[in-house]
Amino acid sequence: MKAYGTYFQNDPERPLVYGEVELINPPRQRLRGEDKKEGILVQPAMVGFCGTDHELMRMGARGELSPKFPAGQKRLINGHEGVVWVPSQNRFAIVLIRGGDSVDPTRYTEDETYFEYGCDQADGLFCDAMYVNPDMLLTIPDGFVHDGKLALSFAKKMVFPDPFACMLFQLERMEDLGSAHNFRQVARRHHCSLEEARAIAADEVFDRTVIFGLGTTGMLMGDVIHQAHPGAKIVFVARSSADSPKVKFALEQTGAIYVQSNYATGDELAAAICEALGGRATMFIGVSGANVEHEIAFRHKVLGCNGVYNSFSLGPKVTYDTMPFGFENHLIFGSINFRQDHMEKAIDMLSRSRYDEIVELIDRDEFAADPMGAYENKIYSKAAPMKTAVIWNKNLIDTTR
């Protein structure tokens, strides 16, 4: 079957193109021990743009995408955020992006394999049609489909389940590690049992939280922490003006404090962060993609004793001085994952959110005419909105709701 869509290829001039492609449908498995199944045909309705797409485009220009292509192919249809229509089941669904020969594809081990629709070895959503393992089509809540069409406001929210699920996984990891890291010290301080101390430590690790970077990831991270730990003091640090719509929306969602990163020196920025926190950080989350985040945490001592450093950026090299690192008992971790239950919880939470307010649309015809130009000049330009999406099939979206 042929369909029109965008796809990546190894080409220094045209790593991303729009055109007709031949769809493939190899059997795939959701989890180890399950049968491999051929996909069923779905039609993408709304698709969101992710920074991963932008990075894959750059990799294609460098000729580095071959390991990402589906077996036997020299291209990858991109797109991994959005909602699809399933004609054979007469319903809308969210695609569970990652599966494979693994007991948990989000935390696979050396003897296991995985794939990701639109990212790695499996075609994605920026196409008129695609094939998806039927076990990887997640249900949406009731009340958002009218006369066979999906409400636009809800469809906009459904470009976020992938990153939101990832933040729910991060929350779980921070709670687990914060608890294990500090529960003995907490037990002594609170004169309580070790079991009681674990619960207290899982909450206290967010007492003074820094989120360094305020893209979509940082904002969602702050939101899930705020909802799970309403007593947490959260400080966002980013370069945007404090009166920008992005910053205002993030602070409304999280009740956080904002520190603009416009100081002449790292010491001055660190002092401003600690003043906003009311002390040194118990949790420092780096999501800016810039090397300065670990310098502020370690060299400029924003991360306090017994503090946890969550390295969520892709690209920066994290370094630290071993003497204070050891004596201040810091814990560093990094992981970028989620499970199906996180995805399902994300869909439910997002359905009751305001995140449709920060999604702006690009016309499909404009995107298809020059996809690379759209990425560089609109979707990921300095003036870009927080989130961009495209109505891929206008017949499936009710734009009045």
Side-chain angles (χ1 to χ4, degrees), residues 2 17 40 53 78 98 106 145 187 193 200 202 207 227 230 254 273 279 344 358-359 373 389 392:
K2 293 184 177 181
V17 297
I40 61 175
D53 300 322
N78 60 312
R98 184 181 269 201
T106 63
V145 180
S193 70
I200 296 171
D207 277 355
Q227 291 193 54
T254 62
I273 296 170
E344 292 166 337
I358 61 169
V359 179
W392 198 261

Side-chain angles (χ1 to χ4, degrees), residues 216 246 358-361 378-389:
T216 304
K246 173 175 71 173
I358 61 169
V359 179
E360 295 189 17
L361 299 176
K378 189 168 185 177
I379 301 168
Y380 293 106
S381 70
K382 288 185 177 180
M386 282 207 72
K387 190 71 172 181
T388 303

Side-chain angles (χ1 to χ4, degrees), residues 67-92:
K68 300 288 186 182
F69 295 149
Q73 303 296 310
K74 294 184 178 179
R75 56 100 185 109
L76 170 70
I77 300 171
N78 60 312
H80 58 279
E81 299 178 350
V83 59
V84 301
W85 171 251
V86 190
S88 63
Q89 299 176 354
N90 195 36
R91 69 180 180 101
F92 287 95

Side-chain angles (χ1 to χ4, degrees), residues 122-313:
D123 289 329
L125 280 71
F126 278 115
C127 197
D128 293 337
M130 63 181 292
Y131 289 100
V132 179
N133 180 318
D135 297 331
M136 298 177 69
L137 291 167
L138 307 182
T139 59
I140 66 170
D142 294 333
F144 299 104
V145 180
H146 307 275
D147 298 323
K149 294 187 176 184
L150 192 67
L152 175 60
S153 60
F154 178 76
K156 286 183 174 181
K157 297 173 186 178
M158 291 302 103
V159 301
F160 291 110
D162 183 285
F164 201 89
C166 200
M167 295 309 100
L168 290 172
F169 177 86
Q170 292 295 309
L171 174 67
E172 181 180 273
R173 289 282 283 160
M174 288 184 285
E175 290 171 338
D176 288 350
L177 293 174
S179 173
H181 185 50
N182 290 322
F183 76 100
R184 294 186 185 279
Q185 188 262 0
V186 167
R188 289 176 177 270
R189 179 158 43 85
H190 286 270
H191 305 288
C192 62
S193 70
L194 295 181
E195 183 177 353
E196 292 171 318
R198 284 186 178 274
I200 296 171
D203 184 61
E204 285 188 353
V205 76
F206 299 106
D207 277 355
R208 296 182 299 278
T209 298
V210 173
I211 300 177
F212 202 96
L214 188 51
T216 304
T217 300
M219 181 174 59
L220 297 179
M221 185 86 81
D223 190 2
V224 298
I225 292 172
H226 175 65
Q227 291 193 54
H229 301 273
K233 179 176 282 188
I234 300 170
V235 173
F236 285 113
V237 183
R239 293 177 295 180
S240 301
S241 170
D243 60 0
S244 70
K246 173 175 71 173
V247 173
K248 289 181 178 179
F249 185 87
L251 299 188
E252 289 172 4
Q253 288 293 104
T254 62
I257 301 168
Y258 185 65
V259 173
Q260 186 176 2
S261 181
N262 60 352
Y263 291 86
T265 67
D267 281 337
E268 291 175 298
L269 175 58
I273 296 170
C274 289
E275 182 179 359
L277 284 171
R280 295 171 71 191
T282 53
M283 174 69 67
F284 192 107
I285 306 166
V287 292
S288 71
N291 278 320
V292 67
E293 56 191 33
H294 73 91
E295 295 172 357
I296 293 296
F298 297 112
R299 185 189 306 173
H300 299 286
K301 296 187 177 298
V302 167
L303 185 63
C305 290
N306 305 306
V308 177
Y309 184 91
N310 182 350
S311 177
F312 195 76
S313 290

Side-chain angles (χ1 to χ4, degrees), residues 1-11 14-26 28 56 60 64-79 116-127 129-131:
M1 178 178 174
K2 293 184 177 181
Y4 280 89
T6 60
Y7 56 91
F8 293 122
Q9 58 186 2
N10 284 325
D11 189 306
R14 300 175 71 240
L16 176 66
V17 297
Y18 176 86
E20 189 176 47
V21 291
E22 183 72 38
L23 300 181
I24 59 173
N25 190 18
R28 301 186 187 280
L56 288 171
E64 299 171 351
L65 279 182
S66 294
K68 300 288 186 182
F69 295 149
Q73 303 296 310
K74 294 184 178 179
R75 56 100 185 109
L76 170 70
I77 300 171
N78 60 312
E116 291 180 287
Y117 289 112
C119 295
D120 204 328
Q121 305 167 60
D123 289 329
L125 280 71
F126 278 115
C127 197
M130 63 181 292
Y131 289 100

